[in-house]
Coordinates of all heavy atoms in Angstrom, one line a residue:
M60 N 239.5 123.0 194.8 CA 238.1 123.5 194.7 C 237.3 122.8 195.8 O 237.5 121.6 196.1 CB 237.5 123.2 193.3 CG 236.2 124.0 193.1 SD 235.6 123.6 191.4 CE 236.8 124.3 190.3
E61 N 236.3 123.5 196.3 CA 235.4 122.9 197.3 C 234.4 121.8 196.7 O 233.9 122.1 195.6 CB 234.6 124.1 197.9 CG 234.1 123.8 199.4 CD 233.2 124.9 199.8 OE1 233.3 126.1 199.3 OE2 232.4 124.7 200.6
I62 N 234.3 120.8 197.4 CA 233.4 119.7 196.9 C 232.5 119.3 198.0 O 232.9 119.1 199.1 CB 234.3 118.5 196.5 CG1 235.2 118.8 195.3 CG2 233.4 117.3 196.2 CD1 234.4 119.0 194.0
E63 N 231.2 119.2 197.6 CA 230.2 118.7 198.5 C 229.6 117.4 198.0 O 229.5 117.2 196.9 CB 229.1 119.7 198.7 CG 229.6 120.9 199.7 CD 228.4 121.9 199.8 OE1 227.3 121.6 199.5 OE2 228.8 123.1 200.0
S64 N 229.1 116.6 198.9 CA 228.4 115.4 198.5 C 226.9 115.7 198.4 O 226.3 116.2 199.4 CB 228.7 114.3 199.5 OG 227.9 113.2 199.1
A65 N 226.3 115.4 197.2 CA 224.8 115.7 197.1 C 224.2 114.4 196.8 O 224.7 113.5 196.3 CB 224.6 116.6 195.9
E66 N 222.9 114.2 197.4 CA 222.3 113.0 197.1 C 221.0 113.2 196.3 O 220.2 114.1 196.5 CB 221.8 112.5 198.5 CG 221.2 111.0 198.4 CD 220.9 110.4 199.8 OE1 221.3 111.0 200.8 OE2 220.3 109.3 199.8
C67 N 220.8 112.4 195.3 CA 219.7 112.6 194.3 C 218.4 112.2 195.0 O 218.3 111.3 195.7 CB 219.9 111.6 193.1 SG 218.6 111.6 192.0
E68 N 217.4 113.2 195.0 CA 216.2 113.0 195.6 C 215.3 111.9 194.9 O 214.4 111.5 195.4 CB 215.4 114.3 195.6 CG 216.1 115.4 196.3 CD 215.3 115.9 197.5 OE1 214.3 115.4 197.8 OE2 215.8 116.8 198.2
C69 N 215.7 111.5 193.7 CA 215.0 110.5 193.0 C 215.5 109.1 193.3 O 214.8 108.3 193.9 CB 215.1 110.7 191.5 SG 213.8 111.7 190.8
C70 N 216.7 108.9 193.0 CA 217.3 107.5 193.1 C 218.2 107.3 194.2 O 218.7 106.2 194.5 CB 217.9 107.1 191.7 SG 219.4 108.1 191.4
G71 N 218.6 108.4 194.9 CA 219.4 108.3 196.1 C 220.9 108.2 195.7 O 221.7 108.0 196.7
L72 N 221.2 108.4 194.5 CA 222.6 108.3 194.1 C 223.4 109.4 194.7 O 222.9 110.5 194.7 CB 222.8 108.3 192.5 CG 224.1 108.1 192.0 CD1 224.4 106.6 191.9 CD2 224.3 108.7 190.6
R73 N 224.6 109.2 195.2 CA 225.4 110.3 195.7 C 226.4 110.7 194.7 O 227.1 109.8 194.1 CB 226.1 109.8 197.0 CG 225.1 109.9 198.2 CD 225.9 109.7 199.5 NE 225.1 110.1 200.6 CZ 224.9 111.4 200.9 NH1 225.6 112.3 200.4 NH2 224.1 111.7 202.0
E74 N 226.7 112.0 194.6 CA 227.7 112.5 193.7 C 228.5 113.6 194.4 O 227.9 114.3 195.2 CB 227.1 113.0 192.4 CG 227.0 112.0 191.3 CD 226.4 112.6 190.0 OE1 226.6 113.7 189.8 OE2 225.7 111.8 189.4
D75 N 229.7 113.7 194.1 CA 230.5 114.8 194.7 C 230.6 115.9 193.7 O 231.0 115.7 192.5 CB 232.0 114.3 195.0 CG 232.0 113.3 196.0 OD1 231.1 113.3 196.9 OD2 232.9 112.4 196.0
C76 N 230.1 117.1 194.1 CA 229.9 118.2 193.1 C 230.4 119.5 193.8 O 230.5 119.5 195.0 CB 228.4 118.4 192.8 SG 227.6 116.9 192.4
T77 N 230.6 120.4 192.9 CA 230.9 121.8 193.5 C 229.6 122.4 194.0 O 228.6 122.1 193.5 CB 231.5 122.7 192.4 OG1 230.6 122.9 191.4 CG2 232.8 122.1 191.8
P78 N 229.7 123.2 195.0 CA 228.5 123.9 195.6 C 227.8 124.7 194.5 O 226.5 124.8 194.5 CB 229.1 124.9 196.7 CG 230.4 124.2 197.1 CD 230.9 123.6 195.8
D79 N 228.5 125.2 193.6 CA 227.9 126.0 192.4 C 227.0 125.1 191.6 O 225.9 125.4 191.3 CB 229.0 126.6 191.5 CG 229.5 127.9 191.9 OD1 229.0 128.4 193.0 OD2 230.4 128.4 191.3
Y80 N 227.5 123.9 191.3 CA 226.7 123.0 190.5 C 225.5 122.6 191.3 O 224.3 122.5 190.7 CB 227.6 121.8 190.1 CG 226.9 120.7 189.4 CD1 226.5 120.9 188.1 CD2 226.6 119.5 190.0 CE1 225.8 119.9 187.4 CE2 225.9 118.5 189.4 CZ 225.5 118.7 188.1 OH 224.8 117.7 187.3
I81 N 225.7 122.3 192.6 CA 224.5 121.8 193.4 C 223.5 123.0 193.4 O 222.3 122.6 193.2 CB 225.0 121.5 194.8 CG1 225.9 120.3 194.8 CG2 223.8 121.2 195.7 CD1 226.7 120.0 196.1
S82 N 223.9 124.1 193.5 CA 222.8 125.3 193.6 C 222.2 125.4 192.3 O 221.0 125.8 192.2 CB 223.3 126.5 194.3 OG 224.5 126.9 193.6
N83 N 222.9 125.3 191.2 CA 222.3 125.4 189.9 C 221.3 124.3 189.7 O 220.2 124.7 189.2 CB 223.4 125.2 188.8 CG 224.2 126.5 188.5 OD1 223.8 127.6 188.9 ND2 225.3 126.3 187.8
V84 N 221.5 123.1 190.1 CA 220.6 122.1 189.8 C 219.4 122.3 190.7 O 218.2 122.1 190.3 CB 221.2 120.7 190.1 CG1 220.1 119.6 190.1 CG2 222.3 120.3 189.2
K85 N 219.6 122.7 191.9 CA 218.5 123.0 192.8 C 217.6 124.1 192.3 O 216.4 124.1 192.5 CB 219.0 123.3 194.3 CG 219.5 122.1 195.0 CD 219.9 122.4 196.5 CE 220.2 121.2 197.3 NZ 220.6 121.5 198.6
A86 N 218.2 125.1 191.7 CA 217.4 126.2 191.1 C 216.5 125.6 190.0 O 215.4 126.1 189.8 CB 218.3 127.3 190.6
D87 N 217.0 124.7 189.3 CA 216.2 124.1 188.2 C 215.1 123.3 188.7 O 214.1 123.1 188.0 CB 217.2 123.2 187.3 CG 217.9 124.1 186.3 OD1 217.7 125.3 186.2 OD2 218.7 123.5 185.5
F88 N 215.2 122.6 189.8 CA 214.3 121.7 190.3 C 213.6 122.0 191.6 O 213.3 121.1 192.4 CB 215.0 120.2 190.3 CG 215.4 119.7 189.0 CD1 216.8 119.7 188.7 CD2 214.6 119.3 188.0 CE1 217.2 119.3 187.5 CE2 215.0 118.9 186.8 CZ 216.3 118.9 186.5
G89 N 213.4 123.2 191.7 CA 212.6 123.7 192.9 C 213.2 123.3 194.2 O 212.5 122.8 195.2
G90 N 214.5 123.4 194.4 CA 215.2 123.2 195.7 C 215.6 121.8 195.9 O 216.1 121.4 196.9
R91 N 215.4 120.9 194.9 CA 215.8 119.5 195.0 C 217.0 119.2 194.1 O 217.1 119.8 193.1 CB 214.6 118.5 194.6 CG 213.5 118.6 195.5 CD 212.4 117.6 194.9 NE 211.3 117.6 195.7 CZ 210.2 118.4 195.5 NH1 210.3 119.2 194.5 NH2 209.1 118.3 196.2
W92 N 217.9 118.3 194.6 CA 219.0 118.0 193.8 C 218.8 116.7 193.1 O 218.5 115.7 193.9 CB 220.3 118.0 194.7 CG 221.5 117.9 193.8 CD1 222.2 118.9 193.2 CD2 222.2 116.6 193.4 NE1 223.2 118.5 192.5 CE2 223.2 117.1 192.5 CE3 222.0 115.3 193.6 CZ2 224.1 116.1 191.9 CZ3 222.8 114.4 193.1 CH2 223.8 114.8 192.2
L93 N 219.0 116.6 191.9 CA 218.9 115.4 191.1 C 220.2 115.0 190.4 O 221.0 115.9 190.0 CB 217.8 115.5 190.0 CG 216.4 115.9 190.5 CD1 215.5 115.8 189.3 CD2 215.9 115.1 191.6
C94 N 220.5 113.8 190.4 CA 221.7 113.4 189.7 C 221.6 113.7 188.2 O 220.6 113.9 187.7 CB 222.0 111.8 190.0 SG 220.9 110.8 189.1
G95 N 222.7 113.4 187.5 CA 222.7 113.8 186.1 C 221.7 113.0 185.3 O 221.0 113.6 184.5
L96 N 221.6 111.8 185.6 CA 220.7 110.9 184.8 C 219.3 111.3 185.1 O 218.5 111.4 184.2 CB 220.8 109.4 185.3 CG 221.8 108.6 184.5 CD1 221.9 107.2 185.1 CD2 221.5 108.5 183.0
C97 N 218.9 111.5 186.4 CA 217.5 111.9 186.7 C 217.1 113.3 186.1 O 216.1 113.5 185.6 CB 217.3 111.8 188.2 SG 217.3 110.1 188.8
S98 N 218.1 114.2 186.3 CA 217.7 115.5 185.8 C 217.5 115.5 184.3 O 216.7 116.2 183.8 CB 218.8 116.6 186.2 OG 220.0 116.2 185.7
E99 N 218.3 114.8 183.5 CA 218.1 114.6 182.1 C 216.7 114.0 181.9 O 216.0 114.6 181.0 CB 219.2 113.7 181.5 CG 220.5 114.3 181.3 CD 220.5 115.6 180.5 OE1 219.9 115.6 179.4 OE2 221.0 116.7 181.0
S100 N 216.3 113.0 182.6 CA 215.0 112.4 182.3 C 213.9 113.3 182.6 O 213.0 113.4 181.9 CB 214.9 111.1 183.2 OG 216.0 110.4 183.2
V101 N 214.0 114.1 183.7 CA 213.0 115.0 184.1 C 212.9 116.1 183.0 O 211.7 116.4 182.6 CB 213.2 115.6 185.5 CG1 212.4 116.8 185.8 CG2 213.1 114.5 186.5
K102 N 214.0 116.7 182.6 CA 213.9 117.7 181.5 C 213.3 117.1 180.3 O 212.6 117.8 179.6 CB 215.3 118.2 181.3 CG 215.8 119.2 182.4 CD 217.1 119.8 182.1 CE 217.6 120.7 183.3 NZ 219.0 121.0 183.2
D103 N 213.7 115.9 180.0 CA 213.2 115.2 178.8 C 211.7 115.1 178.9 O 211.0 115.4 177.9 CB 213.9 113.8 178.7 CG 213.9 113.3 177.3 OD1 214.2 114.0 176.4 OD2 213.4 112.2 177.2
E104 N 211.2 114.6 180.0 CA 209.8 114.4 180.2 C 209.1 115.7 180.2 O 207.9 115.8 179.6 CB 209.5 113.7 181.6 CG 209.7 112.2 181.4 CD 209.6 111.5 182.9 OE1 208.6 111.8 183.6 OE2 210.5 110.7 183.2
A105 N 209.6 116.7 180.7 CA 208.9 118.0 180.8 C 208.8 118.6 179.4 O 207.9 119.2 179.0 CB 209.7 119.0 181.7
G106 N 209.9 118.3 178.6 CA 209.9 118.7 177.2 C 208.9 117.9 176.4 O 208.2 118.6 175.5
K107 N 208.8 116.7 176.6 CA 207.8 115.8 175.8 C 206.4 116.2 176.2 O 205.6 116.3 175.2 CB 208.1 114.4 176.2 CG 208.8 113.6 175.1 CD 208.9 112.1 175.4 CE 210.3 111.8 175.7 NZ 210.4 110.5 176.5
A108 N 206.1 116.5 177.4 CA 204.8 116.9 177.8 C 204.4 118.2 177.2 O 203.2 118.5 177.1 CB 204.7 117.0 179.4
G109 N 205.5 119.0 176.8 CA 205.2 120.2 176.1 C 204.8 121.4 177.1 O 204.6 122.5 176.6
T110 N 204.6 121.1 178.3 CA 204.2 122.0 179.3 C 205.4 122.7 179.9 O 205.2 123.8 180.4 CB 203.4 121.4 180.5 OG1 204.2 120.4 181.0 CG2 202.1 120.8 179.9
G111 N 206.5 122.1 179.8 CA 207.8 122.6 180.5 C 207.6 122.6 182.0 O 208.4 123.2 182.7
E112 N 206.6 121.8 182.5 CA 206.4 121.8 183.9 C 207.4 120.8 184.6 O 207.1 119.6 184.6 CB 204.9 121.3 184.2 CG 203.9 122.4 184.0 CD 204.0 123.5 185.1 OE1 204.6 123.2 186.2 OE2 203.6 124.6 184.8
I113 N 208.4 121.3 185.1 CA 209.5 120.6 185.7 C 208.9 119.9 187.0 O 209.2 118.7 187.2 CB 210.7 121.4 186.1 CG1 211.4 121.9 184.9 CG2 211.6 120.8 187.1 CD1 212.4 120.9 184.3
E114 N 208.1 120.6 187.7 CA 207.5 120.0 188.9 C 206.8 118.8 188.7 O 206.9 117.8 189.4 CB 206.7 121.1 189.6 CG 206.3 120.9 191.1 CD 207.5 120.9 192.0 OE1 208.4 121.7 191.7 OE2 207.5 120.2 193.0
D115 N 205.9 118.8 187.7 CA 205.1 117.6 187.3 C 206.0 116.4 186.8 O 205.8 115.3 187.2 CB 204.1 117.9 186.2 CG 202.9 118.7 186.8 OD1 202.8 118.9 188.0 OD2 202.0 119.2 186.0
A116 N 206.9 116.8 185.9 CA 207.8 115.8 185.3 C 208.6 115.1 186.4 O 208.9 113.9 186.5 CB 208.7 116.4 184.3
M117 N 209.1 115.9 187.4 CA 209.9 115.4 188.5 C 209.0 114.5 189.3 O 209.5 113.4 189.8 CB 210.4 116.6 189.3 CG 211.4 116.2 190.4 SD 212.3 117.7 190.9 CE 210.9 118.7 191.5
R118 N 207.8 114.8 189.6 CA 207.0 113.9 190.5 C 206.8 112.6 189.8 O 206.9 111.5 190.3 CB 205.6 114.6 190.8 CG 205.2 114.4 192.3 CD 204.0 115.3 192.6 NE 204.3 116.7 192.5 CZ 203.6 117.7 192.0 NH1 202.4 117.4 191.4 NH2 203.9 118.9 192.1
A119 N 206.5 112.7 188.4 CA 206.3 111.5 187.7 C 207.6 110.6 187.7 O 207.5 109.4 187.8 CB 206.0 111.8 186.3
H120 N 208.7 111.2 187.5 CA 210.0 110.6 187.5 C 210.4 110.0 188.8 O 210.9 108.9 189.0 CB 211.1 111.5 187.0 CG 212.4 110.8 186.9 ND1 212.6 109.9 185.9 CD2 213.5 110.8 187.6 CE1 213.9 109.3 186.0 NE2 214.4 109.9 187.0
M121 N 210.0 110.7 189.8 CA 210.2 110.2 191.2 C 209.4 108.9 191.5 O 210.0 108.0 192.1 CB 209.9 111.3 192.2 CG 211.1 112.2 192.5 SD 210.7 113.4 193.8 CE 212.2 114.3 193.9
S122 N 208.2 108.9 191.1 CA 207.4 107.7 191.4 C 207.9 106.5 190.6 O 207.9 105.4 190.9 CB 205.9 107.9 191.1 OG 205.7 108.2 189.9
F123 N 208.4 106.9 189.4 CA 209.0 105.8 188.5 C 210.3 105.3 189.1 O 210.5 104.2 189.3 CB 209.3 106.4 187.1 CG 210.1 105.6 186.2 CD1 209.5 104.6 185.5 CD2 211.5 105.8 186.1 CE1 210.3 103.8 184.7 CE2 212.2 104.9 185.2 CZ 211.6 103.9 184.5
C124 N 211.1 106.3 189.6 CA 212.4 105.9 190.2 C 212.2 105.1 191.5 O 212.8 104.2 191.8 CB 213.2 107.1 190.5 SG 214.7 107.3 189.6
G125 N 211.1 105.5 192.3 CA 210.8 104.8 193.5 C 210.5 103.3 193.4 O 210.9 102.6 194.2
K126 N 209.9 103.0 192.2 CA 209.6 101.6 192.0 C 210.9 100.8 191.8 O 211.0 99.6 192.0 CB 208.8 101.5 190.6 CG 207.4 101.9 190.8 CD 206.6 101.8 189.5 CE 205.5 102.7 189.6 NZ 205.0 103.2 188.2
F127 N 212.0 101.5 191.4 CA 213.2 100.8 191.1 C 214.3 101.2 192.2 O 215.5 101.1 191.9 CB 213.7 101.1 189.7 CG 212.8 100.6 188.7 CD1 211.9 101.5 188.1 CD2 212.7 99.3 188.3 CE1 211.0 101.0 187.2 CE2 211.9 98.8 187.4 CZ 211.0 99.7 186.8
N128 N 213.8 101.6 193.3 CA 214.7 102.1 194.3 C 215.7 101.0 194.8 O 216.8 101.3 195.1 CB 213.9 102.7 195.5 CG 214.5 104.1 195.9 OD1 215.5 104.5 195.2 ND2 213.9 104.7 196.8
A129 N 215.1 99.8 194.8 CA 216.0 98.7 195.2 C 216.7 98.1 194.0 O 217.2 97.0 194.1 CB 215.1 97.7 196.0
N130 N 216.7 98.8 192.9 CA 217.3 98.3 191.7 C 218.8 97.9 191.9 O 219.6 98.8 192.3 CB 217.1 99.4 190.6 CG 217.6 98.9 189.2 OD1 218.3 97.9 189.1 ND2 217.3 99.7 188.3
P131 N 219.1 96.7 191.8 CA 220.5 96.3 192.0 C 221.5 96.9 191.0 O 222.6 97.2 191.4 CB 220.5 94.8 191.8 CG 219.1 94.4 191.5 CD 218.2 95.6 191.4
A132 N 221.0 97.3 189.9 CA 221.8 97.9 188.9 C 222.4 99.2 189.3 O 223.6 99.5 189.1 CB 221.1 98.1 187.5
I133 N 221.7 100.0 190.1 CA 222.1 101.2 190.7 C 223.2 101.0 191.7 O 224.3 101.6 191.7 CB 221.0 102.1 191.3 CG1 220.1 102.5 190.1 CG2 221.5 103.3 192.1 CD1 218.8 103.1 190.7
R134 N 222.9 100.0 192.5 CA 223.9 99.6 193.5 C 225.2 99.1 192.9 O 226.4 99.4 193.3 CB 223.4 98.6 194.5 CG 222.6 99.2 195.5 CD 221.5 98.4 196.1 NE 220.4 99.4 196.4 CZ 219.9 99.5 197.6 NH1 220.3 98.7 198.5 NH2 218.9 100.2 197.8
V135 N 225.1 98.3 191.8 CA 226.3 97.8 191.1 C 227.1 99.0 190.6 O 228.3 99.0 190.7 CB 225.9 96.8 190.0 CG1 227.1 96.4 189.2 CG2 225.3 95.6 190.7
A136 N 226.3 99.9 189.9 CA 227.0 101.0 189.4 C 227.8 101.8 190.4 O 228.9 102.4 190.2 CB 226.0 102.0 188.7
E137 N 227.1 102.0 191.6 CA 227.7 102.7 192.7 C 229.0 102.0 193.2 O 230.0 102.6 193.4 CB 226.8 103.0 193.8 CG 226.0 104.2 193.7 CD 226.0 105.0 195.0 OE1 225.2 104.6 195.9 OE2 226.8 105.9 195.0
G138 N 228.8 100.7 193.3 CA 230.0 99.9 193.8 C 231.1 100.0 192.9 O 232.2 100.0 193.3
M139 N 230.8 100.0 191.6 CA 231.9 100.0 190.6 C 232.6 101.4 190.7 O 233.9 101.4 190.7 CB 231.3 100.1 189.2 CG 230.7 98.7 188.8 SD 231.9 97.6 188.1 CE 232.0 98.3 186.4
R140 N 231.9 102.5 190.9 CA 232.5 103.8 191.1 C 233.4 103.7 192.3 O 234.5 104.3 192.2 CB 231.4 104.9 191.2 CG 230.9 105.2 189.9 CD 229.9 106.3 189.8 NE 229.4 106.8 191.2 CZ 229.1 108.0 191.4 NH1 229.3 108.9 190.6 NH2 228.7 108.3 192.6
H141 N 233.0 103.2 193.4 CA 233.8 103.2 194.6 C 235.1 102.3 194.3 O 236.1 102.7 194.8 CB 233.1 102.5 195.8 CG 232.1 103.5 196.3 ND1 232.4 104.7 196.8 CD2 230.7 103.4 196.4 CE1 231.3 105.3 197.2 NE2 230.3 104.6 197.0
M142 N 234.9 101.2 193.6 CA 236.0 100.3 193.3 C 237.0 101.1 192.5 O 238.2 101.1 192.8 CB 235.6 99.1 192.5 CG 235.5 97.9 193.4 SD 234.7 96.6 192.5 CE 235.8 96.5 191.0
L143 N 236.5 101.8 191.4 CA 237.4 102.6 190.6 C 238.1 103.6 191.4 O 239.3 103.9 191.2 CB 236.6 103.2 189.5 CG 236.1 102.2 188.4 CD1 235.2 102.9 187.4 CD2 237.3 101.7 187.6
R144 N 237.4 104.3 192.3 CA 238.0 105.4 193.0 C 239.0 104.9 193.9 O 240.1 105.5 194.0 CB 236.9 106.1 193.9 CG 237.1 107.5 194.0 CD 235.9 108.2 194.7 NE 234.8 108.5 193.8 CZ 233.6 108.9 194.2 NH1 233.4 109.0 195.5 NH2 232.7 109.2 193.3
S145 N 238.8 103.8 194.6 CA 239.9 103.2 195.5 C 241.0 102.7 194.8 O 242.2 102.8 195.2 CB 239.2 102.3 196.5 OG 238.6 101.2 195.8
A146 N 240.7 102.1 193.6 CA 241.8 101.6 192.7 C 242.7 102.8 192.4 O 243.9 102.6 192.4 CB 241.3 100.9 191.5
S147 N 242.2 103.9 192.0 CA 243.0 105.0 191.5 C 243.8 105.6 192.7 O 244.9 106.1 192.5 CB 242.2 106.1 190.7 OG 241.2 106.6 191.5
S148 N 243.2 105.7 193.8 CA 243.9 106.2 195.0 C 245.0 105.3 195.4 O 246.1 105.8 195.9 CB 243.0 106.6 196.2 OG 242.3 105.4 196.6
R149 N 244.8 104.0 195.2 CA 245.9 103.1 195.5 C 247.1 103.3 194.6 O 248.2 103.4 195.0 CB 245.4 101.6 195.4 CG 245.1 101.0 196.7 CD 245.1 99.5 196.7 NE 244.3 99.0 195.6 CZ 243.0 98.7 195.7 NH1 242.4 99.0 196.9 NH2 242.3 98.2 194.7
R150 N 246.8 103.5 193.3 CA 247.7 103.8 192.3 C 248.5 105.1 192.7 O 249.8 105.1 192.6 CB 247.2 104.0 190.9 CG 247.3 102.7 190.1 CD 247.3 103.0 188.6 NE 246.0 103.8 188.2 CZ 244.9 103.3 188.0 NH1 244.7 102.1 188.1 NH2 243.9 104.1 187.6
L151 N 247.8 106.1 193.1 CA 248.4 107.3 193.4 C 249.4 107.1 194.6 O 250.5 107.6 194.6 CB 247.4 108.4 193.8 CG 246.8 109.2 192.7 CD1 245.7 110.1 193.2 CD2 247.8 110.0 192.0
G152 N 248.9 106.4 195.6 CA 249.7 106.2 196.8 C 251.0 105.5 196.5 O 252.0 105.7 197.1
R153 N 250.9 104.6 195.5 CA 252.1 103.8 195.1 C 253.2 104.8 194.5 O 254.4 104.6 194.7 CB 251.8 102.6 194.2 CG 252.7 101.5 194.5 CD 252.3 100.3 193.6 NE 250.9 99.7 194.1 CZ 250.1 99.1 193.2 NH1 250.4 99.0 192.0 NH2 248.9 98.6 193.7
S154 N 252.7 105.7 193.6 CA 253.7 106.4 192.8 C 254.3 107.5 193.7 O 255.3 108.2 193.4 CB 253.0 107.1 191.6 OG 251.9 107.9 192.0
F155 N 253.8 107.8 194.9 CA 254.3 108.8 195.8 C 255.5 108.4 196.5 O 255.5 107.3 197.1 CB 253.2 109.4 196.6 CG 252.4 110.5 196.0 CD1 252.4 110.6 194.5 CD2 251.8 111.5 196.7 CE1 251.7 111.7 194.0 CE2 251.0 112.5 196.1 CZ 251.0 112.5 194.7
Ligands
LIG262 ZN1 219.0 110.1 190.3

C-alpha cells in the first residue's frame, strides 16, 4: 500500500499514513492535516462548544498547541517511535 508522510499542522508530529486517510482528515479540517491526538481534541472542543465549528476549535487548539511546541514530551514520544521502528527493522534484518 502507498504510504505518505503527513505533518500535523498543530504540533508538527509526523505520521506515515495512506493518502486516503490523509485526504479524509484534510476534508474534516478544511484542508489541514492533524495528527490523531490533535484531531480528537479539535473534534472534542467543537463538540463541547456545541457549535460544531471545527474551524474555531482548530484555531483554539493550534494556539494551545503552539504554546507547547517546544514540549519535550512530544520529542521524547517521537524519539521513542523512531527507536521502536529501528529496533523492529533490526530484528527483521536478523531473521532474514
Ligand atoms: Zn498534532
Side-chain angles (χ1 to χ4, degrees):
M60 196 180 294
E61 206 185 332
I62 293 291
E63 280 177 26
S64 178
E66 185 172 356
C67 176
E68 299 244 0
C69 270
C70 66
L72 186 84
R73 281 193 165 277
E74 267 181 34
D75 295 333
C76 312
T77 63
D79 273 2
Y80 175 73
I81 293 173
S82 52
N83 277 346
V84 173
K85 282 186 176 175
D87 276 354
F88 297 107
R91 295 182 180 87
W92 190 85
L93 304 187
C94 71
L96 271 180
C97 289
S98 60
E99 282 303 311
S100 317
V101 169
K102 281 180 181 168
D103 200 52
E104 275 173 53
K107 254 185 249 162
T110 57
E112 282 293 336
I113 289 283
E114 196 67 32
D115 284 352
M117 188 163 55
R118 224 169 291 139
H120 185 70
M121 274 183 175
S122 64
F123 171 80
C124 244
K126 286 176 202 155
F127 297 98
N128 232 356
N130 188 345
I133 292 171
R134 276 151 213 236
V135 170
E137 270 230 282
M139 293 270 285
R140 283 187 343 148
H141 285 299
M142 258 171 55
L143 288 173
R144 214 174 275 172
S145 54
S147 60
S148 56
R149 264 203 303 277
R150 258 203 308 278
L151 275 178
R153 215 177 289 153
S154 61
F155 273 24

